[in-house]
């Protein structure tokens, strides 16, 4: 009876370990998929941020260059106004609510803010990605190690179950022989 109970226990243990292995394999595959998706998303996000940063830097540079040219132009206009006093009464558009120069200064500020925000966003996204990937890799490694150990335990249990089964067969043969002997002795 003990051998039969052991045989059933081995069988159930082997089934349980098989299910655990299947679960671990699926979890590792899910982690691999999640890591690939995160990498694809991060690559796309990085490309977009890199382009936005380059555009913002180019925008700042271009608008600052335009401001230099415009300020030089207005400075020349001031010297012209001093030469022609009747022009002093007309100030042009340069002073109206900041004029073109004021508008360009706002644009420079907007580009600078976009640049700072995008760089901060990129840094945060990169940090979050690295954290996720590190955690996912550690988790995947742990699951793999558990899978390998469970496979070894399952192989050992299968071996023990096979050995136990052979022993059970030998005991059953011995019992059959013993019963045949008793029957032969009994019916003589």
């Amino acid at each position: 009876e003990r051998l039969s109970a052991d045989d059933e226990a081995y069988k159930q243990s082997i089934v349980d370990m098989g299910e655990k292995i299947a679960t671990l394999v699926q979890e590792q595959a899910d982690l691999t998929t999640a890591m690939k998706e995160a990498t694809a998303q991060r690559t796309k996000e990085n490309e977009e941020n890199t382009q936005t940063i380059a555009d913002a830097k180019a925008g700042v540079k271009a608008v600052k260059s335009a401001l230099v040219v415009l300020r030089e132009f207005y400075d020349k206009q001031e010297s012209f106004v001093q030469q022609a006093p009747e022009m002093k009464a007309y100030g042009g558009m340069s002073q109206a609510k900041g004029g073109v120069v004021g508008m360009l200064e706002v644009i420079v500020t907007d580009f600078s803010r976009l640049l700072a925000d995008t760089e901060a966003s990129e840094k945060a996204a990169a940090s979050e990605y690295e954290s996720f990937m590190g955690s996912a890799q550690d988790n995947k490694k742990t699951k793999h190690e558990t899978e390998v150990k469970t496979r070894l335990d399952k192989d050992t249990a299968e071996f023990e179950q096979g050995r136990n089964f052979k022993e059970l067969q030998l005991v059953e043969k011995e019992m059959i022989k013993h019963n045949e002997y008793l029957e032969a002795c009994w019916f003589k």
Side-chain angles (χ1 to χ4, degrees):
E1 285 183 37
R2 180 188 61 79
L3 292 175
S4 292
D6 286 351
D7 189 57
E8 288 303 314
Y10 281 126
K11 285 179 183 176
Q12 186 58 49
S13 177
I14 290 167
V15 168
D16 291 345
M17 285 187 268
E19 290 171 356
K20 182 177 180 179
I21 290 167
T23 299
L24 289 166
V25 167
Q26 183 59 50
E27 288 173 348
Q28 289 175 75
D30 293 345
L31 278 170
T32 299
T33 300
M35 290 167 67
K36 285 180 183 177
E37 289 172 358
T39 298
Q41 179 182 348
R42 178 68 195 114
T43 299
K44 181 182 177 197
E45 184 179 42
N46 178 264
E47 289 170 357
E48 290 172 359
N49 285 341
T50 300
Q51 185 61 48
T52 300
I53 289 168
D55 291 347
K57 285 180 178 179
V60 167
K61 183 178 177 184
V63 175
K64 282 184 176 181
S65 295
L67 277 169
V68 168
V69 170
L70 214 59
R71 285 185 178 131
E72 287 175 2
F73 172 76
Y74 284 133
D75 286 344
K76 288 179 185 176
Q77 292 301 315
E78 283 294 320
S79 62
F80 175 72
V81 167
Q82 289 173 0
Q83 291 173 4
E86 62 275 359
M87 292 295 292
K88 196 168 192 167
Y90 177 72
M93 294 294 290
S94 66
Q95 303 303 322
K97 293 190 180 182
V100 175
V101 172
M103 181 179 70
L104 290 177
E105 288 172 344
V106 169
I107 292 171
V108 167
T109 302
D110 289 346
F111 274 130
S112 296
R113 188 176 319 116
L114 175 64
L115 179 61
D117 290 349
T118 304
E119 287 174 338
S121 174
E122 173 63 21
K123 185 176 180 181
S127 176
E128 183 179 326
Y129 171 77
E130 291 300 321
S131 175
F132 168 76
M133 291 301 282
S135 174
Q137 287 169 340
D138 289 346
N139 196 356
K140 188 175 174 184
K141 180 181 176 189
T142 299
K143 288 182 185 301
H144 178 72
E145 290 169 353
T146 303
E147 174 197 351
V148 169
K149 182 184 180 318
T150 304
R151 283 185 189 277
L152 290 172
D153 292 346
K154 183 178 178 235
D155 288 346
T156 301
E158 287 170 341
F159 174 77
E160 291 297 325
Q161 190 254 343
R163 195 167 73 182
N164 187 64
F165 182 73
K166 287 178 184 176
E167 188 176 336
L168 180 62
Q169 286 180 327
L170 287 174
V171 168
E172 286 176 354
K173 284 181 184 177
E174 288 294 319
M175 291 200 51
I176 289 171
K177 285 181 185 178
H178 184 339
N179 286 340
E180 288 174 354
Y181 174 75
L182 287 177
E183 284 179 21
C185 287
W186 191 268
F187 292 114
K188 274 191 178 178

